[in-house]
Amino acid sequence: FNIALEGNFDECQKFVKLMFADSKFNKSINMSGVNSINWSRIVAQIVYYFFSYFKVAKDKKKINFSVPTGNFGDIYAGYVAKKMGLPINKLIIATNNNDILKRVFNTGVYKPSKVVHTISPSMDIQMASNFERLIFDICSGNSNETLKLMSNLIQHGEFKLKNESLKKIHESFSSESVSEEETKSTIRQIHNEEKIQIDPHTAVGIAAANKISLEGDIIVLGTAHPAKFSDTVTRETGIKPELPENLRKILNQKEKFERIPKDLEKVKDYILKRI
């Protein structure tokens, strides 16, 4: 069964981490999580980069990727692909108003602020879990240095990267943030000029790519079907996006669910009684 938590990403992520931290409960149900910090998901996402590169690039020329990101998972997969030898010039960290990743890229200071709700909600994040993986790598695999930085984040609410570490990030990444109006404008523009509907997250990736000047072509990763964000896309294009044929039957099925309090012990008890 699935459990859906109400709240913003950071709140839900903290709740799930507490559940995983209970080793007795964890082992009793063989708990695992197929989410954006699961390594198997990163491995699968690496394929996107190789597939799209060989579809577009010629003569082994380097290419850029613009990736709408909040939790840094999909773009980290691109970083791994580059380390594996794929000719990538720059990976564009495309963010919405929750621009913590752009701020750390520009200043080296990772300091979460309040989450701002946007029309690209999957990117409404201030604690990018997969960014820790990049930190570990740019710290040359020094777990003590990585632990020190993450401890500073927990204890002091921020950490600051060394200049040499920030320089390493700049070698592979660029970053740009996109406003709500820019996101909406991009949805309209792509619909009017290309006759294609895109979701707001993909629009952030396109808008960020258009704001950055880089050598070589840019591939923008499309991250969701426009029908998933039907209200926003319909408002901006005047046309309601249709679900893919194989998903339309879902609309006629009855949803079964139960509401339980956002209480960790009650959630664990609910699960244990149904295993």
Side-chain angles (χ1 to χ4, degrees):
F1 54 86
N2 295 319
I3 293 181
L5 301 175
E6 292 183 353
N8 66 48
F9 182 90
D10 290 341
E11 292 172 345
C12 295
Q13 184 173 245
K14 182 178 179 180
F15 192 91
V16 173
K17 281 183 176 179
L18 289 172
M19 195 178 297
F20 270 98
D22 186 337
S23 58
K24 183 179 178 180
F25 172 77
N26 194 329
K27 292 178 181 178
S28 69
I29 65 170
N30 294 319
M31 189 174 177
S32 63
V34 186
N35 53 24
S36 57
I37 60 174
N38 188 303
W39 177 248
S40 61
R41 182 165 170 173
I42 302 293
V43 171
Q45 289 171 325
I46 292 170
V47 178
Y48 303 163
Y49 293 87
F50 281 88
F51 178 82
S52 55
Y53 176 87
F54 291 119
K55 281 281 188 180
V56 173
K58 296 179 180 179
D59 302 323
K60 297 182 180 180
K61 289 184 178 179
K62 286 191 174 182
I63 204 163
N64 308 284
F65 286 86
S66 181
V67 189
T69 187
N71 206 33
F72 208 76
D74 206 351
I75 197 165
Y76 181 75
Y79 175 71
V80 175
K82 182 176 180 178
K83 291 192 70 177
M84 291 170 67
L86 193 65
I88 295 175
N89 178 32
K90 290 293 177 82
L91 294 154
I92 302 172
I93 304 168
T95 70
N96 59 18
N97 287 339
N98 296 285
D99 61 350
I100 184 170
L101 293 172
K102 180 185 176 182
R103 283 185 274 122
V104 71
F105 177 85
N106 288 336
T107 67
V109 177
Y110 192 102
K111 185 176 182 179
S113 56
K114 187 177 180 180
V115 173
V116 178
H117 295 288
T118 72
I119 59 172
S120 48
S122 298
M123 300 163 65
D124 292 349
I125 297 172
Q126 289 290 326
M127 296 289 285
S129 302
N130 286 290
F131 194 67
E132 185 176 348
R133 287 184 163 128
L134 179 65
I135 292 170
F136 178 76
D137 192 81
I138 63 175
C139 289
S140 302
N142 187 325
S143 57
N144 290 328
E145 182 66 23
T146 305
L147 180 60
K148 180 181 177 181
L149 291 170
M150 300 312 295
S151 296
N152 284 339
L153 178 61
I154 294 171
Q155 295 171 14
H156 307 294
E158 65 178 279
F159 65 75
K160 182 173 177 59
L161 296 172
K162 296 178 180 178
N163 288 337
E164 60 191 69
S165 296
L166 190 57
K167 184 178 179 180
K168 288 181 181 179
I169 292 176
H170 289 170
E171 289 173 358
S172 295
F173 296 92
S174 291
S175 186
E176 189 55 79
S177 60
V178 176
S179 70
E180 290 287 86
E181 187 48 49
E182 287 173 320
T183 303
K184 295 175 184 177
S185 175
T186 302
I187 293 174
R188 295 193 298 268
Q189 178 187 358
I190 296 300
H191 178 257
N192 293 336
E193 296 180 3
E194 306 294 337
K195 309 305 178 187
I196 297 172
Q197 288 182 312
I198 57 172
D199 80 288
H201 303 76
T202 303
V204 168
I206 294 173
N210 289 335
K211 294 172 74 173
I212 290 181
S213 178
L214 292 173
E215 182 180 348
D217 293 331
I218 301 175
I219 293 176
V220 179
L221 267 61
T223 55
H225 193 283
K228 186 176 181 180
F229 301 92
S230 180
D231 290 346
T232 297
V233 176
T234 302
R235 277 198 305 271
E236 300 308 320
T237 67
I239 300 174
K240 184 176 181 178
E242 293 186 3
L243 275 172
E245 184 65 35
N246 61 344
L247 293 178
R248 289 178 192 172
K249 62 181 181 181
I250 293 176
L251 297 177
N252 299 320
Q253 294 180 351
K254 185 178 180 180
E255 185 178 8
K256 297 179 181 179
F257 64 91
E258 293 180 49
R259 287 187 177 274
I260 53 178
K262 192 166 62 177
D263 180 287
L264 185 60
E265 295 306 316
K266 290 182 179 179
V267 171
K268 289 193 290 188
D269 183 59
Y270 177 90
I271 294 172
L272 287 171
K273 287 179 179 179
R274 286 160 178 78
I275 291 295

